[in-house]
């Protein structure tokens, strides 16, 4: 692979030593050494049938469907085109009589044991086996004997079902599990006619990426519970969109039938997701169809209960509430949230805030990054493929940004780049790391500074491009600590580029659109503090639920109860919106169009597939209406006008004028002129040796509303626990599994004690936002680090 | 407890060290485990996965490919009577019938005392000596009913215990290759140079 110097956009015209030319069915095709014939043929109009070949996985030659003829010195020779590399001057024929006979023969054999239950098969209508039996099959079978029978279907995980009768043993699912996801929990078992895909007994295929196997299975052998028997492919409407569940921004096809979402499928976008999705992003469409969705505006009645009202009453009351608060002072109005919507939603709310003079608006919800990290030289996701060194200064990507994890894992697996993991505990990528710097919270910057004398490390950094993936690796550690650590890395590797990873779906877009404090306005934590002190007259929650989402339960509670009035724009009644004075129902993902900005600043479209539930409306429309009701005309009357106003109004969004690109692979936002970070001597407080320093992070399946309201995902979450190194267990004196008392300066909760070698001695890992005791009770966002006492209960 | 015992863990580590990739040692380790327990248990597969760094599902996939690995308890002696063409013509059906009566179990069954498992087998590649059987993969040729009775009686009395070890023991003498006698091959993915045999030849 050649590296392209990004500073020099003019392509080289020099002779490429890897270029070869092959003739396929008489047409000359340019190809590259090492490429397989089938890949080169895919650039012509001639389709070679295939089942096992998948362009994102290693070829295995399992199904033999792709047989073609290569003309050799002794005449034509039959080869599998997915395993035969191109060669200069090679002559390939894919449509001769011989090839036709061979392909028909393979298909006849594949169908010999296939049940042909297409009428009741989810895949029927979009099935490669069905389609290719029609296009490349013999049309009839000589096999008249009884077919093989297996119990139909068996669950190999909570969400994936396997019908072994339909399986053609193409090895796609098993290869994906092993090669791509690194979860080799399914394997071919037995032999010959009994060969089947199977898990280890009682050990389900519980991979975060299991849904991809359903998508790439070329037959109906693997089906997903959330979609089984929901629709027929020919009744489905498709729109290409972007997943906004997390900020990776995977490209998807949103599919609906009879105005209901039925499925998301991954789209192969080279710069972003290569066709993969995580199961959380794939299956959480269920939450959009949830019966619990808000369908009408709600307003607090005389007795203090929320009851249904009309939009006109709700908007008028909300406008009055805002106006009254503004007469007190614009500082007494604050907006929290906005990361769940589109760029346009955020832009409209930022415009409204500007018009009202509201400076305290923040979409980061107290677990974000300081804005200066977006002003450093930025890396893209694709830069990971060519980086020599990938430094993880980030949360566990497998848990928080799953498809980004696949990309980094791929780079490490292919030995393209070396991974350096800097983290307070071993993450999902630890096994792939070239170097691990596991360091107690508060000491990261110092540990990195010490690395400057490590010759192997500095040589590695100097060997080529460096990408630093930076984010909140520990929610019990301040955001400044991340910047300090980053400054150390950039000092050692000044040529490094930075990929700031904020987890929330469109937080990058919301910040860019203006939902970030300005003119000395307050951040989420400061807004909540001010509210607690009685200084907030009107708090607007934009799809935000501080009571369950801000990593400081006490602060959130004080803030929400201290705010005089609350207006919540939300899709569900949450802990926080339940306490609002007015709740305005918002249209959800799939119910509105717009654009979103992913982790690398890539703007791509989100598409409307179904009509919004009840009378719910897109967030932007609510902003525009509130503007009108408060005599601030935002000057837009339609989505298109708003989108145009956003592109011309926000410099970073200017590249989004390329509508075609936005609807496909997306475009990267314009970056500001880079700044440099200065190193600071961060004095970290010493830990009392009896205490455990807290490491708090998220798991993929937590109490997030989209997961909690999706029945297929809601049961997958674990419960809260405190996890320590096995060597620390005796010191605590309690048994593993036993409930222990965990106390911080903020609070005290009971949690089951678990052990893991992934946790450093003297630290305690507490996954947040799970069922069971609320870890946020222990946290204090104002503190740099948090030390805990862990005691056996009497 | 059917993970490897302490002594066998040592042997396992020695076997693993012979291979460029730990997982290549899986088949000999499965035999070692079957030797210890008489069959392959679930715990054993989990343990072997830990030892060579693959998932239990991968161990299971590999193990179930091979007929000689058993996943249910089998008797101390596994008696395989060939039923393929030559043996069938030479009376294997009658022999099986007789064996079932002698042992008191149907083909596929195990005697209550855990001594014998009787099983059908395909051609054992000794067709000139039909009908044949194997006890723990040790041959008996041209077996008559009375040969069979004598064989069972001898196995019961322990007379044959020198010749025929209990099920799972592949060989009584274990091959030992000290680390310094190994070829020291590196895993292909870690190789930095072409193998010597490729010297001078174009890459294949
Ligand atoms: S289940 Fe599907 S993907 Fe997996 S081997 Fe069978 S046919 Fe291929
Ligand atoms: S990784 Fe993120 S963007 Fe991609 S499918 Fe999962 S939740 Fe959606
Ligand atoms: S596609 Fe080539 S063998 Fe399956
Ligand atoms: S047929 Fe029995 S050994 Fe060949």
């Amino acid at each position: 692979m050649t590296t392209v110097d990004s500073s020099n956009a003019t392509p080289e015209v020099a002779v490429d030593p890897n270029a070869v030319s092959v003739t396929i069915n008489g047409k000359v095709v340019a190809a590259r050494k090492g490429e397989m014939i089938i890949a080169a043929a895919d650039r012509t109009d001639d389709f070679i049938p295939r089942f096992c070949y998948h362009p994102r996985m290693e070829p295995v030659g399992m199904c033999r469907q792709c047989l073609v003829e290569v003309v050799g010195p002794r005449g034509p020779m039959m080869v599998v085109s997915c395993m035969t590399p191109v060669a200069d001057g090679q002559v390939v024929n894919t449509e001769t009589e011989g090839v036709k006979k061979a392909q028909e023969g393979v298909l006849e054999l594949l169908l010999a044991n296939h049940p042909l239950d297409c009428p009741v098969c989810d895949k029927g209508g979009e099935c490669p086996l069905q389609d290719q039996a029609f296009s490349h099959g013999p049309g009839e079978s000589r096999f008249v004997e009884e077919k093989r029978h297996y119990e139909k279907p068996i669950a190999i995980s909570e969400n994936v079902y396997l019908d072994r009768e339909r399986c053609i043993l193409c090895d796609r699912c098993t290869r994906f599990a092993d090669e791509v996801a690194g979860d080799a929990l399914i394997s071919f078992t037995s032999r010959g006619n009994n060969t089947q895909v199977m898990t280890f007994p009682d050990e389900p295929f519980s991979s975060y990426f299991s849904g991809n196997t359903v998508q790439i299975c070329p037959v109906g052998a693997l089906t997903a519970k959330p979609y089984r028997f929901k629709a027929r492919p020919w009744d489905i409407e498709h729109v290409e969109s972007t997943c906004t569940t997390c900020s990776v921004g995977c490209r998807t096809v949103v599919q609906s039938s009879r105005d209901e979402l039925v499925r998301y499928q991954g789209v192969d976008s080279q710069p972003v997701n290569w066709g993969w999705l995580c199961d959380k992003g794939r299956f959480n469409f269920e939450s959009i169809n949830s019966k619990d969705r808000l369908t009408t505006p709600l307003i607090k009645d005389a007795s203090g209960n929320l009851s249904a009202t009309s939009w006109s009453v709700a908007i008028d009351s909300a406008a009055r509430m805002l106006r009254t608060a503004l007469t007190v002072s614009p500082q007494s109005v604050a907006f929290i949230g906005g990361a769940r919507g589109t760029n346009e939603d955020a832009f409209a709310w930022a415009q409204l805030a500007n018009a009202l003079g509201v400076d305290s608006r923040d979409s980061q919800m107290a677990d974000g990054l300081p804005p200066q990290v977006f002003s450093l030289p930025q890396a893209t996701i694709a830069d990971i493929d060519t980086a020599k060194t990938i430094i993880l200064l980030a949360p566990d990507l497998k848990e928080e940004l799953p498809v980004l994890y696949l990309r980094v894992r791929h780079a490490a697996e292919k030995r393209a780049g070396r991974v350096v993991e800097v983290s307070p505990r071993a993450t999902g990528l630890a096994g792939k790391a070239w170097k691990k710097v596991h360091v107690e919270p508060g000491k990261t910057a110092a540990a990195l500074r010490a690395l400057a004398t490590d010759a192997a490390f500095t040589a590695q950094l100097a060997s080529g491009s460096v990408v630093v993936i930076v984010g909140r690796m520990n929610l019990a550690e301040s955001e400044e600590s991340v910047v300090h650590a980053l400054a150390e890395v950039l000092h050692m590797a000044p040529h490094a580029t930075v990929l700031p990873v904020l987890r929330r779906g469109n937080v990058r877009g919301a910040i860019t659109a203006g939902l970030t404090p300005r003119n000395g306005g307050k951040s989420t934590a400061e807004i909540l503090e001010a509210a607690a002190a009685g200084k907030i007259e009107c708090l607007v929650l934009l799809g935000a639920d501080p009571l369950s989402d801000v990593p400081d339960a006490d602060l959130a509670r004080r803030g929400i109860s201290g705010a005089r009035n609350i207006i919540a724009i939300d899709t569900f009644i949450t802990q926080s919106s339940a306490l609002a004075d007015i709740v305005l129902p918002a249209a959800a993902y799939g119910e509105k169009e717009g654009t979103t900005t992913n982790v690398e600043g890539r703007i791509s479209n989100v598409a409307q597939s179904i009509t919004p539930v009840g009378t719910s409306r897109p967030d932007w429309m609510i902003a525009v209406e509130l503007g009108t009701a408060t005599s601030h005309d935002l000057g837009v009357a339609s989505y298109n006008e708003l989108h145009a106003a956003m592109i011309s109004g926000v410099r970073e969004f200017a590249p989004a004028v390329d509508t075609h690109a936005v609807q496909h692979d997306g475009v990267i936002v314009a970056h500001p002129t880079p700044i440099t970070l200065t190193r600071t001597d961060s004095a970290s407080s010493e830990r009392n040796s009896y205490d455990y320093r807290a490491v708090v992070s998220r798991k993929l399946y937590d109490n997030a509303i989209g997961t909690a309201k999706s029945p297929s995902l809601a049961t997958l979450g674990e419960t809260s626990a405190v996890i320590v190194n096995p060597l620390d267990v005796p010191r605590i004196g309690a048994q593993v599994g036993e409930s222990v008392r965990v106390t911080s300066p903020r609070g005290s909760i009971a949690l089951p004690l678990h052990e893991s070698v992934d946790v450093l001695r003297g630290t305690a890992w507490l996954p947040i936002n799970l069922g069971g005791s609320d870890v946020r009770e222990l946290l204090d966002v104002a503190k740099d680090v948090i030390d805990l006492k862990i005691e056996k209960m009497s | 407890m059917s993970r490897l015992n302490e002594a066998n863990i040592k042997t396992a580590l020695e076997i693993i060290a012979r291979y460029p990739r730990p997982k290549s040692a899986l088949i000999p380790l499965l035999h070692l485990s079957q030797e210890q327990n008489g069959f392959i248990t679930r715990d054993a597969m989990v343990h072997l996965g830990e030892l060579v760094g693959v998932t239990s599902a991968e161990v299971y996939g590999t193990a179930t490919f091979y007929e000689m690995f058993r996943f249910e308890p089998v008797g101390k002696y596994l008696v395989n009577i060939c039923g393929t063409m030559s043996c069938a013509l030479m009376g294997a059906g009658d022999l099986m019938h007789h064996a079932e009566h002698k042992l008191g179990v149907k083909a596929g069954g195990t005697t209550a005392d855990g001594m014998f498992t009787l099983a059908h087998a395909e051609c054992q590649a000794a067709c000139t000596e039909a009908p044949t059987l194997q006890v723990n993969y040790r041959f008996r040729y041209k077996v008559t009913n009375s040969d069979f009775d004598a064989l069972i009686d001898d196995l019961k009395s322990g007379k044959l215990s020198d010749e025929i070890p209990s099920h799972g023991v592949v060989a009584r003498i274990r091959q030992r290759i000290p680390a310094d006698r190994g070829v020291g091959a590196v895993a292909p993915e870690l190789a930095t140079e072409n193998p010597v045999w490729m010297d001078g030849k174009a890459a294949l």
Side-chain angles (χ1 to χ4, degrees):
Chain A
M1 188 177 283
T2 50
T3 37
V4 179
D5 183 352
S6 53
S7 64
N8 173 8
T10 343
E12 290 283 334
V13 246
V15 182
D16 181 346
N18 288 315
V20 295
S21 144
V22 294
T23 307
I24 299 176
N25 297 339
K27 285 166 281 193
V28 176
V29 181
R32 300 184 62 75
K33 268 187 196 157
E35 193 176 29
M36 299 298 155
I37 292 174
I38 197 168
D42 276 350
R43 291 195 294 274
T44 71
D45 292 336
D46 300 328
F47 179 78
I48 302 175
R50 84 283 305 268
F51 295 109
C52 65
Y53 171 73
H54 188 285
R56 293 292 181 190
M57 298 193 289
E58 292 294 322
V60 283
M62 197 76 183
C63 71
R64 318 313 279 181
Q65 190 58 56
C66 65
L67 290 167
V68 299
E69 274 173 10
V70 169
V71 182
R74 276 166 293 180
M77 187 171 63
M78 202 70 79
V79 300
V80 277
S81 58
C82 70
M83 290 284 281
T84 310
V86 292
D88 204 25
Q90 193 177 49
V91 176
V92 181
N93 290 311
T94 73
E95 278 164 5
T96 64
E97 269 311 306
V99 169
K100 189 167 175 318
K101 186 153 182 277
Q103 291 179 349
E104 284 182 0
V106 173
L107 246 163
E108 188 180 356
L109 285 169
L110 284 175
L111 290 179
N113 252 326
H114 195 81
L116 292 170
D117 50 356
C118 312
V120 291
C121 177
D122 265 345
K123 205 82 173 188
E126 54 174 20
C127 175
L129 182 59
Q130 206 178 41
D131 295 346
Q132 293 178 93
F134 181 74
S135 59
H136 294 82
E140 56 190 71
S141 173
R142 286 165 288 181
F143 186 81
V144 292
E145 289 77 8
E146 181 67 15
K147 296 188 188 232
R148 193 182 50 178
H149 287 295
Y150 284 120
E151 182 189 342
K152 275 166 102 70
I154 53 172
I156 55 170
S157 76
E158 289 270 344
N159 286 322
V160 179
Y161 287 72
L162 168 65
D163 180 328
R164 290 166 291 174
E165 292 182 349
R166 292 180 188 153
C167 174
I168 58 164
L169 303 175
C170 72
D171 199 16
R172 275 189 174 191
C173 56
T174 36
R175 248 183 307 157
F176 172 85
D178 180 26
E179 231 179 90
V180 181
D183 298 323
L185 300 172
I186 45 175
S187 174
F188 282 139
T189 61
S190 291
R191 189 179 57 193
N193 200 34
N194 297 325
T195 311
Q196 45 190 289
V197 172
M198 196 48 62
T199 64
F200 192 65
D202 302 327
E203 207 175 277
F205 179 38
S206 43
S207 165
Y208 286 167
F209 304 99
S210 67
N212 292 296
T213 62
V214 176
Q215 181 172 343
I216 62 178
C217 178
V219 298
L222 294 174
T223 47
K225 184 173 76 181
Y227 173 74
R228 278 173 66 80
F229 307 127
K230 280 268 160 61
R232 299 302 281 167
W234 48 87
D235 286 333
I236 285 179
E237 286 171 40
H238 311 251
V239 285
E240 201 173 318
S241 188
T242 307
C243 177
T244 59
T245 306
C246 83
S247 57
V248 176
C250 298
R251 290 295 287 171
T252 59
V253 165
V254 173
Q255 302 182 330
S256 60
S257 174
R258 285 170 292 160
D259 210 24
E260 185 177 315
L261 295 185
V262 292
R263 183 168 66 174
Y264 300 155
Q265 297 273 64
V267 169
D268 191 331
S269 167
Q270 166 61 22
V272 187
N273 60 321
W274 291 356
W276 314 130
L277 300 181
C278 71
D279 285 4
K280 177 166 152 180
R282 183 183 295 272
F283 296 136
N284 69 4
F285 69 85
E286 290 181 338
S287 67
I288 313 253
N289 301 332
S290 165
K291 295 276 167 291
D292 299 340
R293 281 283 305 282
L294 282 172
T295 54
T296 86
L298 305 173
I299 194 160
K300 217 177 239 175
D301 60 23
S303 54
N305 296 324
L306 285 171
S307 53
T309 185
S310 70
W311 272 97
S312 55
V313 170
I315 290 282
D316 279 351
S317 317
R320 209 170 322 117
M321 219 171 253
L322 278 170
R323 267 197 308 260
T324 318
L326 288 167
T327 53
V328 177
S329 98
Q331 281 78 44
S332 73
V333 180
F335 296 180
I336 295 181
R340 226 189 263 161
T342 61
N343 292 331
E344 288 74 10
D345 289 335
F347 176 72
W349 279 95
Q351 291 302 104
L352 179 65
N354 292 351
L356 300 177
V358 173
D359 293 328
S360 299
R361 45 335 224 289
D362 189 16
S363 51
Q364 292 204 347
M365 307 259 308
D367 61 3
L369 288 172
Q372 68 258 43
V373 296
F374 301 107
S375 303
L376 296 165
Q378 302 284 299
T380 61
I381 291 177
D383 287 343
I384 292 168
D385 310 342
T386 50
K388 277 274 178 283
T389 313
I390 302 152
I391 301 186
L392 302 172
L393 208 60
D396 192 339
L397 298 182
K398 188 172 184 178
E399 304 291 342
E400 301 203 5
L401 300 156
V403 172
L404 186 60
Y405 158 81
L406 295 184
R407 193 78 167 229
V408 178
R409 187 181 179 279
H410 181 268
E413 188 84 335
K414 292 281 172 263
R415 295 184 161 69
R418 283 178 163 164
V419 173
V420 178
E421 179 184 71
V422 184
S423 168
R425 66 176 180 93
T427 73
L429 279 162
K432 297 282 161 225
W434 168 74
K435 187 176 190 65
K436 286 174 264 198
V437 185
H438 291 164
V439 43
E440 168 172 321
K443 299 191 172 153
T444 317
L448 286 167
R449 192 173 285 198
L451 273 185
T453 57
D454 179 335
F457 182 69
T458 49
Q460 174 62 29
L461 291 186
S463 71
S465 61
V466 178
V467 169
V468 191
I469 303 182
V470 62
R472 293 291 292 275
M473 46 189 160
N474 178 10
L475 294 175
E477 211 175 336
S478 67
E479 57 178 38
E480 284 77 32
S481 68
V482 177
V483 180
H484 292 156
L486 182 59
E488 296 298 334
V489 173
L490 294 180
H491 178 73
M492 286 184 275
H495 59 302
T497 50
V498 171
L499 183 62
V501 290
L502 290 176
R503 186 187 56 98
R504 294 166 195 280
N506 189 26
V507 61
R508 179 98 188 232
I511 296 170
T512 310
L515 289 181
T516 191
R518 60 162 210 183
N519 304 334
K522 299 181 185 67
S523 68
T524 305
E526 290 161 349
I527 292 169
L528 291 170
E529 272 307 344
K535 293 190 194 132
I536 298 291
E537 293 292 318
C538 183
L539 178 62
V540 180
L541 301 176
L542 302 172
D545 178 14
L547 283 180
S548 67
D549 209 359
V550 164
D552 183 335
D554 179 63
L555 173 66
R557 230 175 355 241
R558 286 186 292 117
I560 293 295
S561 63
R564 177 181 293 275
N565 287 308
I566 297 178
I567 302 170
I569 288 83
D570 217 324
T571 48
F572 288 97
I573 283 293
T574 62
Q575 284 192 53
S576 308
S577 60
L579 300 177
D581 301 277
I582 299 172
V583 184
L584 303 173
Y589 181 80
E591 296 175 339
K592 59 183 176 185
E593 61 179 326
T595 59
T596 187
T597 311
N598 82 346
V599 77
E600 51 177 344
R602 182 177 300 279
I603 309 162
S604 55
N605 75 311
V606 295
Q608 179 172 3
S609 177
I610 53 173
T611 41
V613 67
T615 65
S616 64
R617 301 177 181 182
D619 295 46
W620 67 264
M621 209 181 268
I622 301 173
V624 170
E625 283 168 19
L626 274 177
T628 312
T630 50
S631 325
H632 294 288
D633 184 1
L634 298 188
V636 290
S638 68
Y639 167 78
N640 287 337
E641 284 177 26
L642 174 68
H643 178 72
M646 181 186 85
I647 292 176
S648 58
V650 182
R651 197 184 58 85
E652 286 91 335
F653 285 141
V657 287
D658 185 348
T659 315
H660 180 266
V662 167
Q663 286 171 357
H664 291 86
D665 283 342
V667 290
I668 297 277
V669 290
H671 293 310
T673 334
I675 56 159
T676 39
L677 289 183
T678 39
R679 294 154 83 211
T680 27
D681 281 306
S682 52
S684 83
S685 53
E686 276 307 312
R687 172 174 59 89
N688 174 331
S689 63
Y690 296 108
D691 288 346
Y692 295 83
R693 194 147 275 188
V695 176
V696 174
S697 64
R698 297 179 193 273
K699 302 283 284 178
L700 185 66
Y701 301 122
D702 62 7
N703 291 339
I705 199 90
T707 305
K709 298 289 182 186
S710 296
S712 298
L713 299 174
T715 53
L716 300 179
E718 296 161 34
T719 43
S720 299
V722 55
I723 308 160
V724 299
N725 188 285
L727 296 174
D728 281 337
V729 173
R731 205 147 69 87
I732 295 166
Q735 298 295 313
V736 168
E738 197 179 319
S739 206
V740 290
R741 176 140 303 282
V742 183
T743 311
S744 80
R746 245 310 158 64
S748 181
I749 56 174
L751 286 171
L753 178 69
H754 290 183
E755 61 174 17
S756 164
V757 289
D758 292 345
V759 180
L760 281 181
R761 290 205 66 179
T763 68
W765 173 33
L766 304 111
I768 195 175
N769 204 20
L770 303 176
S773 302
D774 189 351
V775 167
R776 299 173 320 125
E777 296 292 349
L778 302 171
L779 305 185
D780 180 347
V781 287
K783 290 285 183 314
D784 281 346
V785 289
I786 292 173
D787 291 337
L788 306 170
K789 287 207 185 330
I790 305 177
E791 293 153 321
K792 187 176 162 67
M793 306 249 243
S794 45
Chain B
M1 262 309 282
S2 47
R3 294 166 69 93
L4 292 184
N5 59 33
E6 283 305 318
N8 280 336
I9 290 178
K10 269 182 72 186
T11 309
L13 294 176
E14 209 179 290
I15 295 172
I16 291 169
R18 272 186 226 160
Y19 293 88
R21 291 181 185 137
K23 69 176 177 185
S24 306
L26 203 46
I27 302 288
L29 296 193
L30 283 161
H31 280 299
L32 181 64
S33 165
Q34 183 153 274
E35 176 174 328
Q36 180 184 301
N37 305 314
F39 70 108
I40 307 288
T41 68
R42 284 190 199 178
D43 284 351
M45 287 187 276
V46 173
H47 191 195
L48 298 190
E50 289 165 12
L51 285 171
V52 302
V54 300
T55 62
S56 321
E58 288 173 298
V59 179
Y60 185 58
T62 304
T64 52
F65 187 86
Y66 298 96
E67 296 267 304
M68 276 174 80
F69 295 128
R70 296 302 200 109
F71 302 90
E72 302 293 334
V74 286
K76 182 171 178 194
Y77 298 110
L78 172 64
V79 182
N80 287 322
I81 298 183
C82 173
T84 310
M85 188 63 81
S86 302
C87 296
L89 290 172
M90 298 302 283
D94 289 343
L95 179 61
M96 179 58 92
H97 189 71
H98 175 77
E100 288 181 340
H101 279 279
K102 169 81 181 163
L103 295 175
V105 293
K106 284 270 182 204
T110 301
T111 55
D113 60 0
M115 280 293 274
F116 299 99
T117 297
L118 182 63
H120 279 295
E122 297 299 331
C123 178
Q124 295 173 331
C127 319
T128 52
E129 312 300 317
T132 66
L133 65 74
Q134 289 180 329
V135 182
N136 293 347
Y137 306 102
R138 274 76 176 172
F139 276 105
R140 285 293 180 272
Y141 302 127
K142 295 187 175 155
V143 186
T144 62
N145 288 354
S146 51
D147 289 348
F148 185 83
D149 293 348
L151 172 68
I152 295 301
D153 295 342
D154 289 350
L155 286 167
K156 275 190 184 155
S157 68
K159 225 186 205 169
L160 291 172
S161 54
D162 279 350
E163 187 199 341
I164 304 178
S166 57
H167 181 249
V169 179
V170 179
R172 292 202 193 245
I173 301 167
R174 181 159 292 285
Q175 184 190 35
R176 303 260 170 204
I177 305 176
D180 59 335
R181 300 262 328 270
V183 288
V186 282
E189 65 272 17
L190 298 176
T192 49
E193 296 164 8
N194 284 340
V196 271
W197 54 262
M198 206 192 254
D199 191 30
K201 297 189 192 119
L204 295 176

